[in-house]
Amino acid sequence: MGMAMALARFLRLVALLVVLGTQHIRGATHWYREMALETAGEELRLARGGREGVRAEEGKASFVKTFDVVLRRPEGQNGGKSGTLHALLFALEDYDRLGRLQTKNGVQRRSYCCSEDSEWQDEDGGWCAPGQLLLGPSDPERTGWPKDFSFKVEAGEKELHLRDLDVPIKQTGMYYLWFLSCDPALDGATITGKSVWKNPTGYLPGMMAPNLPFFGVMSILYVALGAVWLLVYALNWKEVVMVQHCISMVIFLGMVEMMVWYVDYDNFNRTGERPYFTTLVAIVLGCLRKTFARFLVLAVSMGYGVVKPTLAGLQQRVLALCTAYLLFSLSLEVATNLGAVDDLVTVLRLMLVVPVSIIDSLFILWIFTSLSRTLSQVHSRKQSAKLDLYRNFTNMIAITVVVSLFWIIYEMYFRISDSINVYWENEWVNGAFWHMLNFLVLCGICFLWRPSQQATRFAFVAERDEEEEVALTGGQHRSDQADIFVLEGMEPQEPEKHD
């Protein structure tokens, strides 16, 4: 019943996203729908209009543009006073120029608006006027930055249409667009419109741009792996066992997934539009591949197809864990790839990442527990070929887990120490690493379980395993022989000693 309800929820989620398939999201486009100017500190009103990594290349256009931006003031609130709105575009290198440091009562803080007790002078020696936005002295290496565009809202004016901005980007960096005001007259005001951020190679956001060539390379690698596997598969088709059919499915899902991601990013980059449906297909394929791969590793660890013919009583628990992983990983990927172009809010991302991490930990624990029992079984039956196979498989999984743990620690350090995206150009490596690691593990599994004339030595054969068990138990035939292959929880039987 629980699995049926989970499946029903999953189907409803897929149906909802398919309905959205006719809609599009713009490449590196930030939409403002009644975005409020919120109070930041004692004097500043702020609305964040977006941030993107933008690259600059000689002879190619990079820019930030705004379209149809409108400021609206609420009815009956400060409508009789005038105010000024600033559209401030700046790079991360310009951040220290925003505001001025001020010491009051021995405490140093940064002020962004000039007040009556301010004692700052501008570059010409004039004192700042109350309500003025404070900017530090210009950097000789970045003349003209940050870009400050001011818009005056007259007394009694409820709505102001800002002129469209077109700012060319000549230097690579992480850029921010903020809408600010130091005037109480704009309390409660909202902003609508959009901004478009373009890189030299197209509309892909700077942090996502390297994904286009990466998925192109991954598509080629999966096609090459599939071609080699298909050739070996065809040459030894009479010796193919069930585990190798499962491997073929993982290769196929991975190959199609990489191709769909490449097509998705290529269309995104060329047109600036990203259909929800194309991205959804890539997400679903990726989640299915990861789920099926985890099922394959867990089933092989339990000895499925090698020392036991079925999963029997454990089948429901394995399917339940795989279903839970599919649902939570799908939720995380949908939120990450179909949400805002910017990074997700940290708390929201944490809420989605934690369940996936917990389920992955359960997979790892179950895999190593099962491998230990399977190794004991094949060792007790003196099946040397299977023992060597499972030792190599265990070593490969152990190395994968250790490498993954080191990378997770590094990724956590990277995100904590780089909260303002100083190293945004390397952000794509975090996701690319897992795709590459999964591919290498798949290559290792393909090598260990490759179809060959000797592959049938690793397959479960009831008669042969029964004869081995009879020999190991001193000639006593067990009528419940099949049970030791289908009950994962049963400990392996020690052979009786005979003098």
Side-chain angles (χ1 to χ4, degrees):
M1 180 65 69
M3 289 186 61
M5 293 179 62
L7 181 60
R9 292 174 183 172
F10 170 71
L11 292 176
R12 285 198 296 268
L13 174 62
V14 172
L16 175 62
L17 293 174
V18 169
V19 170
L20 297 175
T22 56
Q23 302 181 21
H24 297 75
I25 52 179
R26 295 284 303 178
T29 297
H30 297 260
W31 294 88
Y32 316 131
R33 298 180 175 89
E34 301 297 328
M35 181 175 63
L37 285 173
E38 299 178 350
T39 302
E42 299 178 359
E43 305 150 340
L44 187 67
R45 288 90 185 155
L46 168 66
R48 292 177 172 84
R51 64 170 181 175
E52 293 293 346
V54 183
R55 291 180 170 85
E57 293 183 13
E58 191 68 30
K60 295 183 179 179
S62 298
F63 58 75
V64 178
K65 295 182 179 180
T66 63
F67 297 92
D68 304 322
V69 177
V70 180
L71 172 73
R72 292 186 176 88
R73 293 201 284 187
E75 292 291 339
Q77 184 175 351
N78 297 322
K81 299 180 181 180
S82 62
T84 301
L85 177 71
H86 298 266
L88 189 67
L89 180 66
F90 63 96
L92 192 59
E93 294 80 2
D94 305 316
Y95 183 76
D96 289 338
R97 289 200 60 215
L98 306 185
R100 296 288 186 91
L101 292 176
Q102 181 181 21
T103 302
K104 285 187 177 181
N105 300 323
V107 178
Q108 190 178 61
R109 67 180 183 89
R110 184 175 294 272
S111 297
Y112 297 93
C113 298
C114 182
S115 58
E116 294 181 356
D117 58 348
S118 297
E119 299 179 354
W120 291 299
Q121 294 177 293
D122 58 25
E123 297 178 4
D124 298 326
W127 297 99
C128 68
Q132 176 185 339
L133 181 66
L134 296 174
L135 297 176
S138 60
D139 186 345
E141 296 182 0
R142 291 185 56 82
T143 304
W145 288 89
K147 301 290 185 181
D148 181 16
F149 303 92
S150 300
F151 303 92
K152 183 74 170 181
V153 184
E154 300 297 340
E157 192 174 20
K158 296 296 184 181
E159 186 174 286
L160 176 66
H161 292 259
L162 281 62
R163 72 177 186 276
D164 293 342
L165 304 179
D166 184 354
V167 182
I169 303 299
K170 302 297 184 182
Q171 185 175 341
T172 298
M174 175 63 71
Y175 286 84
Y176 296 75
L177 176 61
W178 288 359
F179 297 97
L180 313 100
S181 178
C182 295
D183 289 315
L186 297 185
D187 285 345
T190 60
I191 295 175
T192 59
K194 67 178 181 180
S195 61
V196 176
W197 312 57
K198 185 179 181 299
N199 276 278
T201 55
Y203 287 94
L204 270 175
M207 289 191 291
M208 299 171 65
N211 286 326
L212 179 59
F214 172 76
F215 282 110
V217 172
M218 290 303 301
S219 298
I220 295 173
L221 291 177
Y222 267 97
V223 169
L225 176 62
V228 173
W229 180 261
L230 181 61
L231 177 62
V232 177
Y233 200 89
L235 292 175
N236 302 276
W237 65 273
K238 291 183 179 180
E239 286 78 26
V240 172
V241 296
M242 180 57 67
V243 171
Q244 291 156 350
H245 292 311
C246 297
I247 295 174
S248 300
M249 177 59 69
V250 176
I251 295 175
F252 174 76
L253 288 173
M255 182 168 53
V256 177
E257 178 199 357
M258 297 300 113
M259 291 180 176
V260 174
W261 274 123
Y262 179 78
V263 171
D264 181 47
Y265 280 114
D266 181 62
N267 180 73
F268 193 174
N269 191 53
R270 287 184 296 102
T271 66
E273 295 185 354
R274 192 180 191 187
Y276 276 137
F277 187 74
T278 306
T279 309
L280 176 64
V281 171
I283 291 172
V284 172
L285 286 171
C287 292
L288 286 174
R289 173 187 58 80
K290 291 186 288 186
T291 303
F292 204 83
R294 281 159 174 76
F295 167 78
L296 173 63
V297 173
L298 180 57
V300 168
S301 301
M302 291 178 173
Y304 171 67
V306 179
V307 298
K308 63 176 66 172
T310 68
L311 297 178
L314 292 173
Q315 182 175 344
Q316 296 299 321
R317 279 182 281 175
V318 172
L319 292 179
L321 186 63
C322 290
T323 301
Y325 178 82
L326 178 62
L327 293 175
F328 283 110
S329 63
L330 186 61
S331 301
L332 175 61
E333 294 299 326
V334 166
T336 301
N337 291 280
L338 295 182
V341 178
D342 262 347
D343 290 345
L344 289 175
V345 177
T346 303
V347 176
L348 174 59
R349 184 174 181 84
L350 188 64
M351 291 174 59
L352 296 173
V353 168
V354 168
V356 177
S357 301
I358 292 175
I359 297 174
D360 266 333
S361 300
L362 293 176
F363 267 115
I364 293 173
L365 180 62
W366 203 351
I367 286 170
F368 279 104
T369 302
S370 301
L371 279 173
S372 177
R373 293 174 179 173
T374 302
L375 284 168
S376 298
Q377 289 178 6
V378 296
H379 182 267
S380 64
R381 298 183 191 124
K382 297 183 179 179
Q383 297 172 329
S384 58
K386 294 181 180 180
L387 182 60
D388 291 339
L389 173 69
Y390 269 92
R391 280 176 175 169
N392 292 330
F393 179 70
T394 301
N395 292 336
M396 184 186 69
I397 297 300
I399 292 173
T400 301
V401 171
V402 171
V403 172
S404 299
L405 288 175
F406 274 108
W407 186 261
I408 290 172
I409 294 172
Y410 163 76
E411 190 171 349
M412 291 175 60
Y413 170 78
F414 178 84
R415 294 189 180 281
I416 293 173
S417 62
D418 189 35
S419 58
I420 57 175
N421 295 114
V422 174
Y423 304 105
W424 60 272
E425 293 180 273
N426 300 325
E427 175 71 23
W428 69 278
V429 177
N430 293 327
F433 170 83
W434 296 110
H435 284 291
M436 183 57 69
L437 181 63
N438 290 335
F439 176 77
L440 293 177
V441 172
L442 180 58
C443 289
I445 293 176
C446 289
F447 177 77
L448 292 176
W449 265 273
R450 64 191 181 278
S452 65
Q453 294 181 353
Q454 289 79 32
T456 51
R457 294 182 303 166
F458 306 131
F460 171 80
V461 179
E463 293 82 3
R464 183 173 64 202
D465 288 343
E466 181 177 313
E467 291 173 359
E468 293 175 352
E469 180 68 13
V470 170
L472 291 171
T473 54
Q476 298 178 1
H477 176 72
R478 293 172 55 95
S479 60
D480 59 344
Q481 166 66 27
D483 290 345
I484 67 170
F485 299 119
V486 299
L487 295 179
E488 178 67 20
M490 183 175 291
E491 296 294 333
Q493 301 292 324
E494 293 292 336
E496 297 178 8
K497 296 182 179 179
H498 299 278
D499 297 329

